[in-house]
């Protein structure tokens, strides 16, 4: 069965860094585009970043551009989210998601993804 498992979340202070990982199994990882989303209490699920299956085409929300970096290691079936200069506003549950191919579909839209992880909590204190 397809599974996406996030890890790496935690409680940090503003300005700190975290590296999230999303390990995929049960799918041909190299055929999937991947995305990171986040959701804070009382807020809508928010697009953070995505990476196409080619591993080169990336997209970032304006709120994280320049601070966060998405990458993937197909040999490890893992997508990463490096988060630097964290702010209290980054506090949320972070989810990874996968969709096959995705060369033209709008990866900022949660509904386009087929698989989702369970999420990992990131809390940034001021």
């Amino acid at each position: 069965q397809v599974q996406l498992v996030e890890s790496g979340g935690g409680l940090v202070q503003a300005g700190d860094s975290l590296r999230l990982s999303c390990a995929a199994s049960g799918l041909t990882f190299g055929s999937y585009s991947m995305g990171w989303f986040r959701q804070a209490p009382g807020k809508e699920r928010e697009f953070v970043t995505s990476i196409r299956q080619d591993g080169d085409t990336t997209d970032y929300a304006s709120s994280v551009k320049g601070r966060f970096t998405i990458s993937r290691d197909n040999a490890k079936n893992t997508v990463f989210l490096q988060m630097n200069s964290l702010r209290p506003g980054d506090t949320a549950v972070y989810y990874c998601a996968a969709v096959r191919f995705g060369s033209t579909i709008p990866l900022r839209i949660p509904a386009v993804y087929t698989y989702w992880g369970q999420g990992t909590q990131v809390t940034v204190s001021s």
Side-chain angles (χ1 to χ4, degrees):
Q1 188 61 264
V2 173
Q3 289 189 343
L4 303 177
V5 181
E6 302 96 336
S7 62
L11 173 62
V12 298
Q13 296 184 88
D16 285 353
S17 297
L18 280 174
R19 183 176 176 85
L20 306 184
S21 298
C22 175
S25 61
L27 52 74
T28 304
F29 186 71
S31 298
Y32 284 77
S33 295
M34 305 294 296
W36 285 98
F37 292 78
R38 65 189 184 187
Q39 188 166 23
K43 294 186 177 180
E44 296 285 325
R45 185 166 43 185
E46 176 188 25
F47 169 78
V48 178
T49 182
S50 65
I51 185 167
R52 300 280 181 179
Q53 78 281 359
D54 62 11
D56 295 323
T57 305
T58 59
D59 188 25
Y60 295 91
S62 297
S63 59
V64 306
K65 191 173 185 179
R67 299 188 297 121
F68 291 9
T69 303
I70 188 171
S71 61
R72 66 190 296 160
D73 187 336
N74 287 356
K76 298 179 179 178
N77 283 15
T78 303
V79 63
F80 303 96
L81 180 62
Q82 178 66 47
M83 304 185 294
N84 298 328
S85 301
L86 283 162
R87 306 165 179 169
D90 297 319
T91 296
V93 176
Y94 283 71
Y95 299 91
C96 67
V99 60
R100 195 178 183 191
F101 302 125
S103 59
T104 59
I105 61 176
L107 296 179
R108 287 174 171 251
I109 308 300
V112 308
Y113 291 88
T114 306
Y115 304 107
W116 290 83
Q118 298 301 116
T120 185
Q121 177 71 48
V122 172
T123 303
V124 185
S125 63
S126 60

